[in-house]
């Protein structure tokens, strides 16, 4: 299986490239876009907001959402997506897990059923410092579908920068599972900054292991990794 590595050290050029991949997909008929949250996506979403692209005939499907944060909370992924994308670039239908639900387990099931009715043409992915994708923390089964997760301390710490204190960071989330993510036709993973080096090193040069969820991408046939980390531009074969 091949991972296409695009190593671009200039950050503006890196995001320009990410945008051009997305635009190309849209021009060639992609309809369902898997979207991600997190700081890594913010510059890409700015490109989208400032572009002439029209997504009103496309659908968006988000990876994950915190459990227990009201939608109106500025750090809910519902609010994040509105602020960075949807208020300016509305999609036809926008799918996001409902983090306000009284029954997160049921909501996860409902979301997975929705996902199975769609085919995601392009899935955007960031990566956690511990190698998580979506909110699939180390140890998550590669066969997992959408489920409720208890966030690790390292993830809560990493995300505390978006909240007043770490105590404000939710303890649970609903996330697409690893198997759900792997159903996407194409995946674009963006990793920027030194903190992501161990995860990308493992993806490019390590063993496939559930302890580092991102390494599952080696099993997918159509992945682009876009990074500023200075890894050598190449196609990586297993
Ligand atoms: C978050 C999200 C992920 C994201 C990752 C990295 O917790 N659930 O979807 O890719 O962690 O976030 P950032 O881009 O802010 O480093």
């Amino acid at each position: 299986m091949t991972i296409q590595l695009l190593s671009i050290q200039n950050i503006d050029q890196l995001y320009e490239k990410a945008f051009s991949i997305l635009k190309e997909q849209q021009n060639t008929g992609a309809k369902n876009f898997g979207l991600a949250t997190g700081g890594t996506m913010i510059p890409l979403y700015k490109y989208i907001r400032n572009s002439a692209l029209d997504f009103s005939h496309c659908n968006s499907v988000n990876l994950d959402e915190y459990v227990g944060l009201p939608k109106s909370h500025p750090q809910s992924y519902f609010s994040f997506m509105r602020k960075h994308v949807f208020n300016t670039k509305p999609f036809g239908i926008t799918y996001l897990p409902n983090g306000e639900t009284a029954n997160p387990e049921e909501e996860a099931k409902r979301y997975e059923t929705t996902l199975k009715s769609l085919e995601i043409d392009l899935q955007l992915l960031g990566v956690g410092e511990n190698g998580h994708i979506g909110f699939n923390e180390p140890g998550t089964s590669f066969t997992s579908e959408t489920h409720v997760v208890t966030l690790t301390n390292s993830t809560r710490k990493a995300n505390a920068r978006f909240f007043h204190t770490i105590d404000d960071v939710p303890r649970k989330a609903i996330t697409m599972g690893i198997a759900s993510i792997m159903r996407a036709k194409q995946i674009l993973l963006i990793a920027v900054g030194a903190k992501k080096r161990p995860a990308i090193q493992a993806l490019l040069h390590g063993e496939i292991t559930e302890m580092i969820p991102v390494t599952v991408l080696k099993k997918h046939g159509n992945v682009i990794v876009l990074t500023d980390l200075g890894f050598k531009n190449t196609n990586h074969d297993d």
Side-chain angles (χ1 to χ4, degrees):
M1 296 299 155
T2 302
I3 290 181
Q4 193 191 349
L5 172 67
L6 299 175
S7 197
I8 303 180
Q9 273 166 291
N10 178 293
I11 293 291
D12 291 338
Q13 285 171 7
L14 181 148
Y15 281 105
E16 210 176 301
K17 182 67 185 172
F19 175 68
S20 76
I21 291 168
L22 195 123
K23 187 172 159 189
E24 165 81 15
Q25 278 279 349
Q26 212 221 18
N27 286 341
T28 54
K31 190 160 164 44
N32 297 321
F33 289 85
L35 302 183
T37 49
T40 308
M41 296 299 146
I42 292 177
L44 173 59
Y45 291 157
K46 189 171 177 196
Y47 266 98
I48 293 177
R49 287 199 308 279
N50 292 339
S51 76
L53 291 186
D54 174 12
F55 286 96
S56 59
H57 60 288
C58 298
N59 303 317
S60 69
V61 187
N62 264 84
L63 279 171
D64 47 16
E65 177 60 289
Y66 291 116
V67 169
L69 273 193
K71 286 182 181 155
S72 58
H73 189 287
Q75 294 310 327
S76 74
Y77 288 165
F78 178 91
S79 290
F80 178 103
M81 291 310 299
R82 285 198 153 193
K83 177 177 171 198
H84 293 287
V85 184
F86 302 147
N87 284 346
T88 315
K89 288 284 172 198
F91 279 62
I93 306 178
T94 61
Y95 297 98
L96 232 123
N98 174 14
E100 287 183 344
T101 176
N103 190 337
E105 308 286 342
E106 265 313 302
E107 173 59 11
K109 272 192 207 149
R110 187 198 64 83
Y111 201 67
E112 184 66 25
T113 305
T114 303
L115 292 178
K116 284 188 169 145
S117 70
L118 300 160
E119 184 171 51
I120 296 179
D121 295 293
L122 176 66
Q123 176 67 56
L124 297 178
L125 274 190
V127 61
E129 291 169 31
N130 60 8
H132 74 233
I133 51 175
F135 269 132
N136 293 285
E137 298 284 21
T140 306
S141 165
F142 285 168
T143 62
S144 58
E145 298 194 320
T146 305
H147 60 289
V148 180
V149 293
T150 300
L151 301 177
T152 60
N153 282 340
S154 87
T155 295
R156 292 185 65 243
K157 241 193 227 166
N159 287 4
R161 69 192 194 277
F162 299 119
F163 293 81
H164 290 303
T165 73
I166 190 163
D167 293 331
D168 297 331
V169 183
R171 291 176 186 277
K172 288 188 184 271
I174 296 172
T175 184
M176 269 192 207
I178 294 192
S180 338
I181 293 172
M182 290 288 279
R183 289 198 297 263
K185 276 167 49 184
Q186 183 176 43
I187 294 176
L188 171 60
L189 176 88
I190 307 178
V192 169
K195 288 182 174 167
K196 306 298 172 72
R197 178 172 295 280
I200 299 306
Q201 173 75 24
L203 170 59
L204 298 178
H205 301 298
E207 294 296 306
I208 299 176
T209 166
E210 289 182 347
M211 294 318 292
I212 310 178
V214 71
T215 61
V216 76
L217 298 183
K218 281 189 208 256
K219 292 167 169 263
H220 192 288
N222 193 358
V223 176
I224 301 174
V225 174
L226 194 47
T227 182
D228 71 333
L229 286 167
F231 289 96
K232 230 171 117 204
N233 262 344
T234 179
N235 278 354
H236 280 254
D237 292 317
D238 268 352

